[in-house]
Amino acid sequence: MRKLLFESLIRPPLTERPPRVSDAAVDELARALNGVAHRRLGRSLSIRAVDAGSCNGCELEMHALNNAFYDIERFGIRFVASPRHADVLLVTGPVTKNMRDALKRTYDATPNPKWVVALGDCALNGGCFAGSYAVVGGVSEALPVDLHIPGCPPPPIEILKGLLALLEGVNSRAAIARA
Amino acid sequence: MPALTDLILAAEGVDNHLPWPRAVVTSKEWSFAVEQLAEGHWSLLGLWGEPGTVHMALLDEAVWDIGVVSLLCPDGRYPSVGLLHPPALRLERAVADLFGLLPQGAPDTRRWLDHGHWGVSFPLSARVQTAAAAAPPYQFLPVEGESLHQIPVGPVHAGIIEPGHFRFTASGETVVRLEEGLGYTHKGMEGLMAGSDIDHAAKLAGRTSGDSTVAYALAFCRAVEAALGIEVPARAVWLRALMAELERLANHLGDIGAICNDAAFALMHAHCGVLRERVLRASDAAFGHRLMRDRVVPGGVAIDLNDEGTTAIRSLIAEIRQRFPALVELYDNTASLQDRTVATGRLRVELARQYRAGGYVGRASGRDFDARRSLAYPPYDALNFNVPLLQEGDVNARVWIRIHEVEQSLSLVEQILRQLPGGPIRVDFARTGGPHEGMALVEGFRGDILAWLRIGKSGLIERCHLRDPSWFQWPLLEAAIEGNIVADFPLCNKSFNCSYSGHDL
């Protein structure tokens, strides 16, 4: 173990430069965030991931955000265990009918101000599962959605771009409010 | 003892079911097959329904025979398999929910996938009932004894994981019973596949379980190709295996780190996470998608491997070979970690055999089965690899099986790159009208995945059933956790790493 730890002292970090925030995501964000109480967030963002029926692909890429390459916590973004600690619900999947209640209850347990980010193609409109007897459809069928990050699944860098856009939107609005 | 072949030959055979035979049996023959299962002579590969018919895929391990027996049940009833052979219980409950076919004498008739929210009952049966009756509250199995308490967990868990419900009954810190409640991610996959064209169904199959997207697409495509008699180009066959091994590598590396992380040993998690990410990036460079989704398609593969991709994979293998041994050594020499994994969550050899547990769950408990070797589908018949086997059945053994399989997969990837034949990567096939039936058994990272399908007169998928290895692993987790402390559940759970989405379908 000492050898591994020593190596990490002398090797450069694997962590990569932050991605440029995509303009489309900022635009979508600007529309979505209508300037309510963003000041309270400061420079941190706590995310509660909710799988509302995904195939688990989006979750795998969400996990990847925590690895040494993306190291999402350096942006002040972290995944939390309880909706009560969360600012953002990151929801995946074509919401299944069996998960709709649990998703709503998770949303209700999240304190205001809160945002919902729908992650992945299924979360937009059900994707290839749309029309099934067991599926509600996109996340917006169950909750008000503030931002959608497309992809099947979106690669970590795209998730990161979306989340940074969310943060930047929140912070710039807070700056405007302060000025 | 009669062989499975004898039973199938004696019964009324079905034409165009490939590569293994299917026969329509009488209820007496059905019951005979159930007895063979209960006595451990045969293994249950799958049990699924269709309006008015129930099917059972069987494996005779003595001679490696596989066959499907089907029982017509016009009155909606059939003799229960689960009554004598418990591994069939949840499959029967799923068939009852979807098709309204009732297993006679089944000891457990509670709903399984249907939680009463669909708005329809028996959605895949001939008599779909709208405005479903309100579901009675789910009754967990009773537990009796002094000072027992229950801990309900889920369906929303405290991490980035799939939804499911766990009901623990504990005496102090010790778990006396765990009961699982699944079905939360049921997306109606089989309903969506019925009537869809082959390419669309292949896309759906690749989204059954996100971490096994290659394995599922492969199982589905092999079943289609068996049904239609399609000869896949050699290069495509080898590229498919290359993708399957990359998928296995990524998942095993992720799991090894995640299991250690659940024992609060974050260093392993960080290093394994780096290696996993490297695999995903190499896969992206080689096949244009980190998880290689939609890359295995009916008739071959969707994308060819170029020199750049080959270089990416070669340098990936070199890096893992360089870095992984130090991690294995770290795992092996850290007493605080071993203290958590050794003798924890022990799965008995007899149970693994009875439930025919696949993958690392079975192989850590002495079950020597790997579809890549036992059925030797190409190109594995031309490759050298070992199937690791341990008897301990604890968390530690499941970690070690993964470690050995990482080493085997590294060697397999190298062999494939060395021997990769040239030529076309996909063959067009005629959309002939059916009925054609096909079946395939493919080794995913989690265990063997079964795909069975029928292509109808119109050339569309008429019925498709995909069986995840987790169907036979989830119940074993309930057994393995018994007598362990609640705090060890994450370790047990992660070392099984059963699929929710693949199971719920």
Side-chain angles (χ1 to χ4, degrees):
Chain A
M1 172 148 59
R2 260 180 253 150
K3 210 175 109 195
L4 279 172
L5 289 172
F6 182 68
E7 254 187 32
S8 23
L9 285 177
I10 56 170
R11 285 163 61 89
L14 295 164
T15 314
E16 296 175 336
R17 297 170 63 87
R20 207 172 55 81
V21 175
S22 85
D23 299 335
V26 178
D27 288 350
E28 188 173 353
L29 187 80
R31 277 199 306 279
L33 298 177
N34 49 9
V36 273
H38 299 157
R39 267 167 297 176
R40 288 193 215 166
L41 274 175
R43 277 188 51 77
S44 78
L45 195 70
S46 294
I47 300 172
R48 175 65 251 223
V50 187
D51 178 343
S54 87
C55 75
N56 198 33
C58 292
E59 278 66 31
L60 295 175
E61 295 297 48
M62 257 192 255
H63 272 293
L65 288 174
N66 284 317
N67 74 29
F69 292 90
Y70 303 105
D71 187 22
I72 193 174
E73 294 215 6
R74 72 186 140 137
F75 300 113
I77 301 173
R78 61 198 186 108
F79 287 96
V80 294
S82 164
R84 301 208 189 277
H85 304 157
D87 307 305
V88 170
L89 292 184
L90 192 54
V91 187
T92 62
V95 178
T96 64
K97 291 189 180 165
N98 287 351
M99 268 307 285
R100 180 167 36 188
D101 285 354
L103 176 62
K104 281 204 73 138
R105 287 171 69 173
T106 309
Y107 179 79
D108 292 341
T110 312
N112 280 315
K114 58 188 165 191
W115 290 272
V116 175
V117 177
L119 185 71
D121 290 347
C122 299
L124 178 63
N125 54 14
C128 60
F129 301 106
S132 165
Y133 63 87
V135 162
V136 179
V139 177
S140 61
E141 300 285 325
L143 302 179
V145 172
D146 297 297
L147 179 72
H148 173 247
I149 304 174
C152 183
I157 206 82
E158 295 299 320
I159 307 178
L160 206 47
K161 279 182 192 168
L163 293 176
L164 281 178
L166 192 68
L167 255 185
E168 274 188 13
V170 169
N171 284 333
S172 65
R173 292 231 167 233
I176 292 163
R178 269 198 302 275
Chain B
M1 181 181 74
L4 176 57
T5 329
D6 301 334
L7 174 72
I8 302 235
L9 285 179
E12 186 191 336
V14 175
D15 294 337
N16 298 329
H17 185 280
L18 293 161
W20 299 293
R22 176 166 87 87
V24 178
V25 295
T26 62
S27 78
K28 200 173 149 209
E29 287 164 328
W30 177 271
S31 299
F32 171 76
V34 175
E35 275 167 36
Q36 296 296 311
L37 286 172
E39 286 167 19
H41 301 312
W42 299 348
S43 307
L44 183 66
L45 286 179
L47 188 151
W48 64 95
E50 159 160 47
T53 311
V54 62
H55 305 279
M56 185 156 62
L58 302 164
L59 167 70
D60 186 345
E61 280 184 46
V63 285
W64 295 113
D65 262 345
I66 290 179
V68 178
V69 295
S70 311
L71 181 67
L72 303 178
C73 24
D75 61 346
R77 291 157 202 276
Y78 63 97
S80 168
V81 182
L83 173 65
L84 296 173
H85 190 59
L89 277 176
R90 287 180 177 177
L91 292 158
E92 287 184 343
R93 290 165 69 186
V95 169
D97 286 354
L98 299 178
F99 296 92
L101 300 171
L102 303 177
Q104 291 304 290
D108 191 345
T109 53
R110 293 173 298 165
R111 295 182 185 205
W112 184 237
L113 299 177
D114 182 358
H115 296 189
H117 299 305
W118 295 340
V120 291
S121 291
F122 320 126
L124 303 185
S125 73
R127 45 180 186 101
V128 183
Q129 292 176 6
T130 49
Y138 193 82
Q139 295 290 321
F140 285 94
L141 297 174
V143 187
E144 289 177 12
E146 268 182 56
S147 358
L148 295 178
H149 59 282
Q150 285 200 338
I151 311 169
V153 180
V156 178
H157 301 296
I160 310 174
I161 49 171
E162 300 178 81
H165 184 81
F166 297 116
R167 182 65 59 105
F168 295 95
T169 306
S171 167
E173 267 299 283
T174 308
V175 178
V176 291
R177 165 168 261 170
L178 162 63
E179 196 181 347
E180 294 151 359
L182 299 174
Y184 291 94
T185 68
H186 178 75
K187 295 181 267 294
M189 182 77 85
E190 297 188 354
L192 288 164
M193 281 193 163
S196 80
D197 68 49
I198 292 173
D199 288 336
H200 182 68
K203 280 199 159 176
L204 282 167
R207 282 156 182 78
T208 310
S209 177
D211 51 18
S212 303
T213 182
V214 174
Y216 265 100
L218 183 58
F220 177 84
C221 292
R222 283 184 58 79
V224 168
E225 288 148 12
L228 298 178
I230 300 166
E231 190 82 28
V232 179
R235 186 171 174 84
V237 169
W238 285 72
L239 286 176
R240 286 173 170 190
L242 180 60
M243 292 186 215
E245 295 310 315
L246 287 173
E247 180 175 270
R248 197 182 321 276
L249 269 178
N251 285 319
H252 279 344
L253 288 168
D255 275 5
I256 293 167
I259 294 167
C260 296
N261 197 44
D262 279 340
F265 197 74
L267 184 66
M268 275 290 278
H269 185 49
H271 282 275
C272 288
V274 167
L275 293 184
R276 177 184 155 86
E277 178 70 19
R278 294 272 196 223
V279 181
L280 298 185
R281 289 182 177 198
S283 306
D284 193 19
F287 298 107
H289 192 283
R290 286 162 58 87
L291 303 176
M292 296 168 287
R293 185 159 275 174
D294 299 330
R295 294 318 188 249
V296 175
V297 291
V301 294
I303 183 170
D304 203 353
L305 181 70
N306 56 23
D307 291 343
E308 202 183 322
T310 312
T311 313
I313 296 175
R314 278 196 207 283
S315 62
L316 166 77
I317 299 300
E319 177 170 2
I320 300 178
R321 280 217 188 279
Q322 193 205 341
R323 306 216 150 266
F324 192 58
L327 299 178
V328 176
E329 198 186 313
L330 177 62
Y331 175 78
D332 204 18
N333 290 324
T334 305
S336 64
L337 187 52
Q338 304 264 302
D339 184 47
R340 297 293 305 280
T341 59
V342 175
T344 304
R346 188 160 267 167
L347 172 65
R348 287 187 294 117
V349 168
E350 303 79 56
L351 266 181
R353 190 189 314 130
Q354 185 189 13
Y355 278 73
R356 64 165 311 284
Y360 42 78
V361 174
R363 293 196 276 274
S365 292
R367 187 165 182 277
D368 193 9
F369 179 87
D370 185 318
R372 292 175 297 170
R373 185 201 55 199
S374 305
L375 304 174
Y377 54 92
Y380 292 102
D381 49 354
L383 293 165
N384 290 320
F385 64 103
N386 295 322
V387 177
L389 194 67
L390 291 168
Q391 305 292 328
E392 287 78 6
D394 53 2
V395 173
N396 183 49
R398 287 187 284 277
V399 171
W400 273 107
I401 294 285
R402 284 175 169 94
I403 291 173
H404 293 315
E405 290 190 10
V406 164
E407 289 155 1
Q408 294 301 317
S409 287
L410 290 174
S411 149
L412 283 169
V413 169
E414 284 173 332
Q415 293 178 49
I416 292 170
L417 285 181
R418 235 185 353 255
Q419 302 176 45
L420 190 64
I425 55 161
R426 191 175 183 182
V427 59
D428 279 331
F429 53 89
R431 315 270 154 170
T432 48
H436 296 282
E437 297 180 349
M439 184 167 147
L441 203 63
V442 157
E443 190 74 17
F445 90 101
R446 194 176 267 125
D448 50 285
I449 292 168
L450 177 135
W452 178 89
L453 52 83
R454 180 188 303 121
I455 296 165
K457 284 199 182 75
S458 50
L460 302 176
I461 299 288
E462 191 175 293
R463 175 86 182 90
C464 177
H465 171 73
L466 302 166
R467 194 268 301 141
D468 193 85
S470 304
W471 277 102
F472 301 121
Q473 295 168 340
W474 274 119
L476 297 175
L477 175 62
E478 291 183 344
I481 185 67
E482 224 173 84
N484 288 258
I485 59 172
V486 176
D488 279 342
F489 178 70
L491 277 164
C492 298
N493 189 29
K494 193 68 210 175
S495 71
F496 271 71
N497 191 13
C498 299
S499 170
Y500 295 75
S501 181
H503 167 283
D504 294 349
L505 226 58

